[in-house]
Amino acid sequence: MAITPRSKGYILLSLIIVELAFWPIFFDIGSGALGMPLFLFYSFVLSTAILAAIVISKRKEEFRQIAKRKKTLYTLAVSGFLNAFLSAALLTLGIMHTSASLAGVVYRSWPLLMVPFIPLVVRTKVNKYQIASLLMGFVALYIALTQGMLISINMAYAPYIVLLFIAALAVALSNVLIKSQNADVYAQNLIFDSVAAVSFFALVIATGAHFTGLTFNALIAVLFTGGIAYSIGSVFFYYSLKTLEPTIVGNAMLLVPFLTFVFSAVFLGEQIYLYYILLGLVVVSGIVIQRMAPSKAPERVPKINGLTSTIFDLTSAFADNRSPEIYEYITGSGRALAVKGGTAEAYEGLGEEEKKEVARKYGCIIFTNKNPHSSVAAEEIKFMSDILGLGDGETLLVGIGEPSKVEEAMKEIDMRIRGNVNFDDGSKNTR
């Protein structure tokens, strides 16, 4: 049986959690051996080379698609600066002046900071379960920062904790921006790492650091961060971010500091305190609360007034679709939006010419789960049905294209069904 994009996302997310738990440890080793600017420069040069080789051999067309869309290209470049350069620099400074464990838990607070950006950037609603689960994450963060005392943090660390929170904010904004733009993950990460490599090269020159050779420890740290974390690991992460809701990925990431505590104890000799166990229990409770939401599909905040049906954003269902037609419509800011129930079922009763006319008029692809587009795979239909919890025989209407145009198309379909409105001029049809 084929693995669905959603199942693949969960598998890769599990691998990422383990990889990221080791991340602060190797940052500590590498920055201690080389200094922050040079260590991260070497790491990003390596990751850029790996991703460039993959893109040149297998993803040239996908990279060209990004280059053609200036908005997507600029958004990814800004995201790369925030996520790969600024956050990495601040995280490393935090680790160098506090500890791998403390820096890890503060940095991984970025899911808490995603909530206000989600409705503004990707226009999907945040439900009460997501808010409650993120509040549980905040409780875990507070416990960690106060070292289980629930009174105050060590003030000697305060300036660096501020830097770590800024790093977390940069990652939160970057990840929401990435979610708003659909792009091939290999090409996308090549842009991120190229931006970071150039930025850290400039920082090395500006700080007067010397380009020195690599000791054994420094080499291992660079191979891990550049050869795994910032190349293949980043691709896995953004694949899971595209195929799963941001808050699911965010809550799962809150497990990372807990594992970092354990790995730091094993490899760096740090002591494990009882409140570390409490942290893990609180984080798991947050994940359970998030999973209690009635629908796992993100509900869209529409720009078009007059829509009578709830619209869901199911763009993540097409993360693996390589069809040139689908890819053309969904790359960049394109979305896959869907409605279910009465409107979707009534759409099936429209004539074929009427269906084609509305799709042409609004420049999008429109189909249902019962009569899918020829380039839509069965596992993608199953993904959408599962995430929405469709019952047997229930119809789902899907539109792929520029989101405002898809919304307009769905509004007109709804009007046509309710009032028999002519597609061409909006007048009443007296047939």
Side-chain angles (χ1 to χ4, degrees), residues 317-339:
F318 299 92
D320 268 350
N321 193 297
R322 311 312 310 164
S323 160
E325 185 175 7
I326 297 290
Y327 193 76
E328 177 70 22
Y329 277 87
I330 212 164
T331 300
S333 58
R335 314 300 293 176
L337 306 181
V339 296

Side-chain angles (χ1 to χ4, degrees), residues 44-215:
F44 279 108
V45 167
L46 176 58
S47 62
T48 299
I50 292 171
L51 290 168
I54 294 172
V55 169
I56 291 170
S57 62
K58 296 182 178 181
R59 291 293 204 275
K60 289 192 290 290
E61 181 56 35
E62 286 81 356
F63 189 85
R64 281 195 288 267
Q65 288 287 345
I66 295 175
K68 287 195 307 184
R69 292 170 169 79
K70 299 303 180 184
K71 179 181 178 181
T72 300
L73 182 62
Y74 296 150
T75 300
L76 294 179
V78 169
S79 298
F81 180 83
L82 292 172
N83 204 325
F85 172 70
L86 181 62
S87 69
L90 296 180
L91 171 62
T92 308
L93 286 174
I95 291 172
M96 292 170 66
H97 293 89
T98 60
S99 68
S101 296
L102 182 59
V105 75
V106 175
Y107 179 77
R108 292 300 161 195
S109 68
W110 64 260
L112 307 176
L113 305 177
M114 287 182 70
V115 173
F117 297 122
I118 291 173
L120 294 174
V121 179
V122 296
R123 299 191 65 82
T124 57
K125 297 178 181 178
V126 177
N127 61 46
K128 61 183 180 181
Y129 298 93
Q130 294 169 326
I131 292 173
S133 66
L134 291 177
L135 288 176
M136 293 295 287
F138 179 78
V139 171
L141 174 65
Y142 181 72
I143 292 171
L145 289 176
T146 61
Q147 298 178 319
M149 302 302 293
L150 306 180
I151 299 173
S152 63
I153 63 173
N154 186 337
M155 294 307 297
Y157 289 164
Y160 302 103
I161 289 174
V162 170
L163 292 181
L164 288 166
F165 270 115
I166 295 173
L169 181 63
V171 173
L173 176 57
S174 172
N175 286 337
V176 177
L177 288 173
I178 292 162
K179 189 75 175 177
S180 74
Q181 299 294 315
N182 299 298
D184 177 76
V185 289
Y186 292 94
Q188 164 186 297
N189 278 280
L190 174 58
I191 293 171
F192 293 171
D193 291 5
S194 299
V195 168
V198 171
S199 300
F200 278 114
F201 176 77
L203 188 60
V204 169
I205 299 300
T207 57
H210 298 289
F211 290 91
T212 60
L214 298 176
T215 64

